Amino acid sequence: MLLFFTLGLLIHFVFFASIFDIYFTSPLVHGMTPQFTPLPPPARRLVLFVADGLRADTLYELDENGTSRAPFIRNIIMHEGSWGISHTRVPTESRPGHVALIAGFYEDVSAVAKGWKENPVEFDSLFNESKYTWSWGSPDILPMFAKGASGDHVYTYSYDAKREDFGAQDATKLDTWVFDNVKDFFHHARNNQSLFSKINEEKIVFFLHLLGIDTNGHAHRPSSRDYKDNIKKVDDGVKEIVSMFNHFYGNDGKTTFIFTSDHGMTDWGSHGAGHPSETLTPLVTWGAGINYPQRVSAQQFDDSFLKEWRLENWKRLDVNQADIAPLMTSLIGVPFPLNSVGILPVDYLNNTDLFKAESMFTNAVQILEQFKVKMTQKKEVTLPFLFTPFKLLSDSKQFNILRKARSYIKHRKFDEVVSLCKELIHLALKGLSYYHTYDRFFLGINVVIGFVGWISYASLLIIKSHSNLIKGVSKEVKKPSHLLPCSFVAIGILVAFFLLIQACPWTYYVYGLLPVPIWYAVLREFQVVQDLVTSLLTYPLSHFVGYLLVFTLGIEVLVLSFFYRYMLTAGLTAFAVWPFLTRLWTRAKVTSLSWAFFSVLLAVFPLMPVVGRKPDISLVMGAGLLVLLLSLCVVTSLMKRKDSFRKEELLVHLLQVLSTVLSMYVVYSTQSSLLRKQGLPLMNQIISWATLASSLFVPLLSSPAVFQRLFSILLSLMSTYLLLSTGYEAVFPLVLSCLMFVWINIEQETLQQSGVCCKQKLTSIQFSYNTDITQFRQLYLDDIRRAFFLVFFLVTAFFGTGNIASINSFDLASVYCFLTVFSPFMMGALMMWKILIPFVLVMCAFEAVQLTTQLSSKSLFLIVLVISDIMALHFFFLVKDYGSWLDIGTSISHYVIVMSMTIFLVFLNGLAQLLTTKKLRLCGKPKSHFM
C-alpha cells in the first residue's frame, strides 16, 4: 500500500505539472533578424517613468475638491501630449508588467518560480537594443534587464532591498531616492567628460522605476491618503526631472517622455489577477515625436471613465501594454525587440505619414519573422504527413501582403499600408498562438486518458480490497495470460518510437507513456469489473440511479463552490438538515442540534466579503477572547476529571493560553505601531516567529486522548492563526473546529445506530499510531458520505475563510506581525500556512473519525482521492485560454488549487497523524505512541 501511495503521489505530480506544459510554456523563439525603421527617428533620447502599482482611475480622476492629484501630468494631457489607458494582462505583477513594457511580450508564467526577479529565459528588450540605458529604482526590477542585455551598456542604480518596508515611516522616500539620484547623476555628468559624451549620444534611454505608490498601496490601500499623496509627490518629481532634462539639453526638442505603470491595484491593496483595477494603467506621452492633444466632441468607449475624469474632450488612445515597446523603439530609432508582439500605436506619433507607414511595415516584418521561426521549428519536429500548417497565412499570402504593402508605400498610399500591416500582424499573432498551442490537444488527451485510468484503478482497488461488494460473487481463478502484458509493452514501444522520431521533449514521454502502465493495471483487474457488474445487477435499478444522482450532485456542488462561494452555504445548510431526515434525531437530539447549529454558523462565512477587503482588528481580538473563554471552560471541565488530567498537561494548556494572550497583544500592538508608521517592533516579530515555531510541537506534549489532543492542536494553531488574521476570518477555525468535534460524535452515533460498534467517550479513546488492524471493518455505502464530508470540509476550509481562486485574494497585511520588508517567497509561505491551518484542523478531526468508526485510513483516503480526482478532471476540461484574462486566470487557478489540494492531502494526512499520535514529555525520557 505504501508503494501504491508513492506511485499515486508521483502520478498526481505529473498531472499537476501537465497544466504548465500545456498552458504555461514559454512563448519565446530565437533566431530572428533585428528589424528597424530605415528613416531618421524624431528623438535622440527617451525617458521612461514607471509608477509601480498606479491605477489609471486614481491618477486621472479629480479629488473631492475638483482638482487633480497630479496637476503636471494633467496639464500634459490637456496641452502637450497624448494619453490613454494601457491594458495589462495577468499575472498583474511587477516583473511581467515591466517585461511587457520594455520587451514587448507577455511574460512566461514560469518566472513566478523565481519570484519574478530573474530571467527564466533570455529575451531581447528596448534596453538591450539601445546604445546606452541608465536606470534607477528597485533591486527587484532593474537587474533582470541588465542581466539579459548583451554587452555592458545597461547601467543600474538601486537602493537596498530593506528599504522596501510596508511598515516604514514614509514609502515616498523610495521615489525621492530615485529623483535625487537622477539629479546627482546629471550634476556629476557635467564634470565627467566620458559620461557627458555618453549621455549626449543618440538612441539612449533613461528609466526611472518608482516603487513608493505600490508600497503605500499594499500597506495602506489605494483609497488611503498615503497612496494619493504619493501620487502628488511623484507628479512633483516628474515635473522636476522634465525641467532638468530640458535645461540640461538646452531645450533641443529631442527628448521623449513616457509615463505609465506596470499594473494597478485592487481596493484592498493587492494585485496579480485580472480585475479592471489591476489591468487598467495610465499612459501619458509627450515630447519629441509625440502627437499634441486632440480636441474631440465625442468618443465611444465601453466605460464611463471619460465623464468621471472630465476628459471627454481630449482624445483617449488606448493600447495593450506590449504596444508601448514598439512605440518607444520607433521614437528613438532602435530595432524592435526580437520577441515583441506589440502593435505600434501610430496615433501617438507626430511624424510624416511615410514614417508611420515604414514603422508599421517594420513592425509587421518583425512579428512575421517570429511566426516563420515558430513554424519552421514545429515543422522540423513533426512528421510530414501529420503536420498541419496555419492555413490563414501561407507562404504565398505572406509574400503577396508584403509586396502589396511595398507597392502602396511607393505610390504613397500610406493609410492602406498601415491597415494592411495591421492585418498581417493579426494573422501572424494568430499563427504564433496556433503553433505555440500546436501540441495542446495531444498532451490534453494523454493527461485525460491517464486521469480516467487512475480513477478507474483506485475505484477498483477500493472495491476489491476494502468492500464487501463482490465478496459473494463466485469467481473462477483464471490462468494469467501473457497477451495483455505483451500488448501493453508493444503499445509503449510504439508511443516511445513515435515521440522519438518527432524529437519531442522528455516531458512528452512522461505524458505519453504514463497511461500505458495505468491502464495495464486496470485491465489486469478485469475479473473485478465483471464481478462488480454481476453484483450491481442484483441491486434495484432505482436505488442505483438514486445513489449515482446524489453522488453526481455532490460533486457538482463542490465544483460550483469554486465559482460561487454561496454554494458552500447551500451545502452546509443541507448538512444541517441531514440528521433530521434520519433516525439520528430520535437517538441523539443534543448532538443533532449541535450539528445543525454549527453547520448553519459555518454557512455564514462563505457569504462574507473576501478577506482583507475590510480589515477589522477588533474581530481578531474578539476571536482571541472566544478562544480564551473556550479554554477556560474546557480546562475547568478536564480538571474535574482528576483521573485523566495530570499537572503536566495542565501546564501545557496554560502555556497555550498564554500564547493566545501574547498573540492578541502582538496583533494589537503591531497594528498600532504600523498606523503610527513606526514599523514592526522587534519584540513582536520575535514573539510571532516563536509562536509559529512552537505551534507544531507543543500539542505533542498533551494527552493522546482524542478530545484533549484535538483541543491542544486547536489552541496551538489558533495562536498562529490570530497573528495571520486581519478580520472576521480569525473566528473561522474556531467555528470549524466546533463542527469537527460534533462531526466526530455524530459519526459515532451513525455507527451505533447501524449496530457496527458501541459509542465510547472521546476522553477515553486514545490516538495510537499502531492500531490493531483486526479492529478495522470493510467499507459500507455510508463511508462514501464520510469521504464526501471530508472533501466538502476541505473545500470549505479554503473558500470559507474568504479566499477566492485568485492571486489578489491574499492580503499582504496578514503577514505584518512576522515581517514588513518585501520578500515574496517568505510572505507567500506564511500566507500558505494560514490557508493550511484550517486544512490541518479538518484532517486531524478526520483522523479521529477514522479511529472512532474503526475504519482503515487507507480505505477512506482512497475514496477521498477518487472524489478529488473527479473534481480535478472536471476542472481540467474547464481550463481555457480565451475570453477575458480574469476568466483565463481563474480557470487555470481552479485546476491548480484542486490538484494542489489532492497532493497536499497526502502530506496533511501524515502531518495529522504526527500531531495526533506522537507524545512528548516535558521532563524525563520521551515517550512515543508510535510503538
Side-chain angles (χ1 to χ4, degrees):
M1 187 56 77
L2 179 62
L3 178 63
F4 170 80
F5 278 111
T6 305
L7 289 173
L9 193 60
L10 288 173
I11 289 167
H12 280 86
F13 270 120
V14 171
F15 291 156
F16 178 80
S18 68
I19 199 72
F20 296 96
D21 260 335
I22 296 172
Y23 291 95
F24 284 171
T25 50
S26 174
L28 301 188
V29 290
H30 300 283
M32 291 79 69
T33 307
Q35 305 289 329
F36 59 90
T37 307
L39 295 174
R44 291 175 60 86
R45 67 200 71 90
L46 181 138
V47 183
L48 173 63
F49 301 97
V50 177
D52 204 304
L54 176 59
R55 291 164 50 146
D57 58 348
T58 318
L59 177 74
Y60 291 141
E61 70 186 6
L62 302 179
D63 62 19
E64 55 275 9
N65 299 320
T67 58
S68 174
R69 297 188 186 95
F72 177 75
I73 296 295
R74 194 170 181 91
N75 180 67
I76 294 292
I77 293 170
M78 293 180 169
H79 301 104
E80 293 188 40
S82 296
W83 75 286
I85 290 177
S86 168
H87 296 263
T88 70
R89 288 191 184 182
V90 291
T92 46
E93 298 287 348
S94 290
R95 180 195 157 91
H98 282 88
V99 169
L101 283 169
I102 297 164
F105 74 92
Y106 298 104
E107 177 70 288
D108 174 15
V109 186
S110 65
V112 73
K114 296 191 176 183
W116 309 115
K117 289 186 179 181
E118 294 183 13
N119 302 345
V121 288
E122 289 187 7
F123 60 85
D124 192 21
S125 71
L126 166 72
F127 295 172
N128 189 44
E129 296 292 354
S130 68
K131 191 159 189 178
Y132 296 107
T133 292
W134 289 271
S135 54
W136 296 264
S138 168
D140 296 330
I141 298 299
L142 305 188
M144 67 183 180
F145 294 104
K147 287 179 183 177
S150 56
D152 58 353
H153 64 286
V154 178
Y155 304 99
T156 62
Y157 304 91
S158 56
Y159 38 75
D160 187 70
K162 291 180 180 178
R163 283 176 171 261
E164 298 176 19
D165 188 344
F166 298 123
Q169 288 186 351
D170 188 3
T172 59
K173 289 181 178 178
L174 298 175
D175 299 336
T176 305
W177 184 96
V178 171
F179 294 133
D180 290 344
N181 275 265
V182 173
K183 293 173 192 173
D184 292 342
F185 172 82
F186 276 88
H187 178 74
H188 177 64
R190 293 184 182 277
N191 304 315
N192 186 320
Q193 189 57 44
S194 172
L195 179 59
F196 187 82
S197 61
K198 283 181 181 179
I199 63 176
N200 277 284
E201 296 273 4
E202 58 181 14
K203 305 183 193 305
I204 60 174
V205 177
F206 299 93
F207 171 44
L208 284 71
H209 176 244
L210 308 167
L211 188 62
I213 293 173
D214 183 75
T215 307
N216 269 317
H218 284 306
H220 308 290
R221 309 287 189 270
S223 59
S224 67
R225 176 56 53 196
D226 302 82
Y227 185 87
K228 293 172 180 176
D229 286 348
N230 203 153
I231 294 174
K232 179 68 171 70
K233 289 272 183 77
V234 165
D235 184 68
D236 291 339
V238 170
K239 181 179 180 180
E240 290 176 13
I241 295 298
V242 170
S243 175
M244 184 203 69
F245 264 89
N246 290 335
H247 178 71
F248 187 89
Y249 289 106
N251 293 304
D252 63 354
K254 291 292 181 180
T255 308
T256 302
F257 299 95
I258 293 184
F259 181 89
T260 186
S261 176
D262 54 347
H263 57 75
M265 188 170 286
T266 61
D267 291 340
W268 52 98
S270 64
H271 53 81
H275 191 273
S277 62
E278 300 165 90
T279 60
L280 303 183
T281 59
L283 174 63
V284 181
T285 64
W286 68 101
I290 296 294
N291 253 335
Y292 290 104
Q294 301 173 59
R295 296 296 295 266
V296 290
S297 56
Q299 301 183 70
Q300 294 297 320
F301 286 95
D302 294 333
D303 52 62
S304 58
F305 291 142
L306 287 169
K307 190 173 182 181
E308 292 172 14
W309 301 338
R310 300 184 193 175
L311 290 170
E312 53 264 59
N313 295 325
W314 281 267
K315 189 172 183 180
R316 171 179 146 190
L317 304 169
D318 284 11
V319 299
N320 290 320
Q321 194 171 45
D323 300 343
I324 298 173
L327 174 64
M328 294 190 292
T329 55
S330 65
L331 287 166
I332 58 173
V334 299
F336 285 63
L338 294 173
N339 305 113
S340 172
V341 294
I343 303 172
L344 177 65
V346 289
D347 290 339
Y348 273 85
L349 295 176
N350 179 20
N351 212 314
T352 63
D353 290 338
L354 173 62
F355 181 86
K356 293 177 184 178
E358 285 285 3
S359 297
M360 203 70 212
F361 183 81
T362 304
N363 191 189
V365 171
Q366 171 259 325
I367 293 176
L368 185 62
E369 279 278 312
Q370 295 181 71
F371 168 79
K372 288 179 178 178
V373 170
K374 194 81 172 178
M375 182 181 69
T376 303
Q377 288 178 353
K378 188 52 63 181
K379 197 171 184 178
E380 286 175 351
V381 296
T382 307
L383 294 172
F385 65 91
L386 291 176
F387 181 72
T388 308
F390 182 63
K391 294 183 174 65
L392 296 178
L393 194 56
S394 62
D395 291 344
S396 59
K397 186 161 187 177
Q398 295 173 38
F399 178 77
N400 288 334
I401 292 176
L402 292 174
R403 182 177 54 79
K404 192 182 287 186
R406 268 288 155 219
S407 174
Y408 282 156
I409 291 174
K410 188 176 180 181
H411 292 91
R412 306 187 67 78
K413 296 180 179 179
F414 300 125
D415 290 341
E416 287 86 343
V417 175
V418 171
S419 59
L420 192 63
C421 288
K422 283 184 178 178
E423 179 192 347
L424 178 58
I425 287 171
H426 286 299
L427 287 173
L429 290 175
K430 277 186 179 179
L432 270 172
S433 176
Y434 172 80
Y435 287 118
H436 183 59
T437 59
Y438 192 84
D439 296 328
R440 185 171 290 179
F441 180 75
F442 167 75
L443 294 174
I445 286 291
N446 278 285
V447 171
V448 169
I449 292 172
F451 242 128
V452 173
W454 167 259
I455 293 170
S456 304
Y457 179 66
S459 302
L460 289 174
L461 194 64
I462 293 167
I463 293 163
K464 179 183 177 183
S465 305
H466 300 281
S467 76
N468 293 312
L469 200 58
I470 61 171
K471 297 294 182 187
V473 180
S474 60
K475 29 185 183 179
E476 300 175 12
V477 179
K478 295 182 179 178
K479 188 178 179 181
S481 169
H482 293 294
L483 179 62
L484 187 65
C486 290
S487 300
F488 274 89
V489 168
I491 291 170
I493 291 170
L494 283 173
V495 170
F497 182 70
F498 174 75
L499 296 171
L500 183 66
I501 58 178
Q502 294 201 101
C504 292
W506 68 270
T507 51
Y508 283 42
Y509 288 85
V510 176
Y511 305 134
L513 293 173
L514 185 62
V516 177
I518 291 176
W519 277 101
Y520 170 67
V522 171
L523 293 180
R524 274 187 64 189
E525 306 295 342
F526 186 69
Q527 185 65 49
V528 179
V529 177
Q530 283 185 315
D531 294 343
L532 175 64
V533 172
T534 305
S535 179
L536 289 176
L537 288 174
T538 63
Y539 281 84
L541 182 63
S542 58
H543 286 194
F544 175 73
V545 173
Y547 287 135
L548 188 63
L549 285 174
V550 170
F551 182 76
T552 305
L553 178 64
I555 294 290
E556 289 306 311
V557 168
L558 286 171
V559 170
L560 285 171
S561 67
F562 278 66
F563 298 94
Y564 313 104
R565 288 171 62 215
Y566 59 78
M567 292 303 297
L568 294 174
T569 301
L572 287 165
T573 306
F575 284 8
V577 177
W578 165 63
F580 304 101
L581 303 178
T582 64
R583 285 178 294 170
L584 280 171
W585 167 243
T586 57
R587 287 184 57 87
K589 286 185 169 58
V590 175
T591 304
S592 298
L593 286 171
S594 301
W595 169 265
F597 174 73
F598 285 113
S599 294
V600 171
L601 193 58
L602 194 66
V604 174
F605 286 89
L607 300 176
M608 303 286 277
V610 172
V611 164
R613 304 194 181 183
K614 292 182 179 178
D616 190 346
I617 297 302
S618 62
L619 290 174
V620 182
M621 295 295 104
L625 289 173
L626 284 175
V627 173
L628 293 177
L629 184 62
L630 181 64
S631 302
L632 181 64
C633 294
V634 171
V635 171
T636 304
S637 171
L638 290 173
M639 284 179 71
K640 290 177 182 178
R641 296 174 50 85
K642 295 180 181 178
D643 57 324
S644 62
F645 199 62
R646 303 189 191 121
K647 290 181 179 179
E648 175 187 314
E649 288 159 12
L650 176 61
L651 180 60
V652 170
H653 284 304
L654 289 175
L655 280 171
Q656 291 179 313
V657 169
L658 177 62
S659 179
T660 303
V661 172
L662 282 173
S663 293
M664 292 171 65
Y665 164 75
V666 168
V667 169
Y668 182 79
S669 64
T670 299
Q671 174 75 1
S672 302
S673 180
L674 293 178
L675 286 174
R676 295 192 302 269
K677 297 187 179 181
Q678 293 177 352
L680 171 61
L682 179 60
M683 184 54 66
N684 288 14
Q685 193 172 20
I686 292 170
I687 293 172
S688 298
W689 284 107
T691 303
L692 175 63
S694 64
S695 62
L696 288 178
F697 75 81
V698 170
L700 307 182
L701 299 169
S702 64
S703 166
V706 168
F707 179 77
Q708 285 94 313
R709 179 56 64 94
L710 290 179
F711 180 66
S712 182
I713 292 169
L714 171 64
L715 283 184
S716 276
L717 295 181
M718 271 303 296
S719 296
T720 304
Y721 203 85
L722 289 173
L723 293 169
L724 292 166
S725 298
T726 59
Y728 73 86
E729 83 273 17
V731 188
F732 179 80
L734 199 56
V735 178
L736 179 66
S737 295
C738 290
L739 183 60
M740 292 299 97
F741 174 71
V742 180
W743 183 33
I744 298 166
N745 281 276
I746 210 165
E747 292 297 357
Q748 278 189 298
E749 295 288 353
T750 57
L751 278 187
Q752 190 180 6
Q753 176 183 299
S754 59
V756 176
C757 65
C758 297
K759 185 178 178 181
Q760 294 176 275
K761 289 187 177 182
L762 295 184
T763 51
S764 62
I765 304 173
Q766 300 258 326
F767 278 114
S768 176
Y769 186 80
N770 230 4
T771 308
D772 183 5
I773 60 171
T774 58
Q775 294 179 355
F776 291 152
R777 58 178 178 80
Q778 293 288 358
L779 289 169
Y780 296 108
L781 195 60
D782 205 33
D783 293 319
I784 297 176
R785 175 193 56 75
R786 291 187 179 92
F788 177 78
F789 273 20
L790 173 64
V791 177
F792 193 93
F793 288 139
L794 288 171
V795 174
T796 305
F798 182 82
F799 292 107
T801 54
N803 299 315
I804 54 175
S806 167
I807 299 171
N808 71 19
S809 73
F810 303 107
D811 184 16
L812 286 179
S814 299
V815 303
Y816 286 172
C817 288
F818 293 87
L819 74 165
T820 53
V821 176
F822 181 64
S823 175
F825 284 120
M826 188 62 72
M827 288 178 164
L830 286 167
M831 286 190 281
M832 182 61 71
W833 181 236
K834 179 184 178 182
I835 293 166
L836 289 178
I837 284 174
F839 280 62
V840 173
L841 293 171
V842 173
M843 289 303 294
C844 288
F846 186 56
E847 284 290 315
V849 167
Q850 291 174 131
L851 181 64
T852 56
T853 56
Q854 298 177 354
L855 191 59
S856 165
S857 63
K858 293 168 185 172
S859 57
L860 206 51
F861 192 75
L862 278 172
I863 302 175
V864 171
L865 212 55
V866 169
I867 295 172
S868 301
D869 285 342
I870 292 171
M871 288 173 60
L873 186 60
H874 205 124
F875 284 118
F876 187 84
F877 285 114
L878 292 176
V879 170
K880 57 185 178 181
D881 61 346
Y882 57 87
S884 74
W885 282 103
L886 181 60
D887 294 338
I888 294 167
T890 302
S891 71
I892 292 172
S893 64
H894 282 159
Y895 178 76
V896 170
I897 287 168
V898 77
M899 281 306 297
S900 300
M901 190 177 78
T902 306
I903 293 168
F904 271 124
L905 271 179
V906 179
F907 295 107
L908 287 172
N909 191 47
L911 178 60
Q913 280 195 2
L914 177 70
L915 285 172
T916 54
T917 60
K918 185 75 175 173
K919 171 70 171 132
L920 300 176
R921 294 177 68 86
L922 283 172
C923 57
K925 186 177 178 181
K927 180 182 177 184
S928 173
H929 282 257
F930 273 90
M931 301 302 292

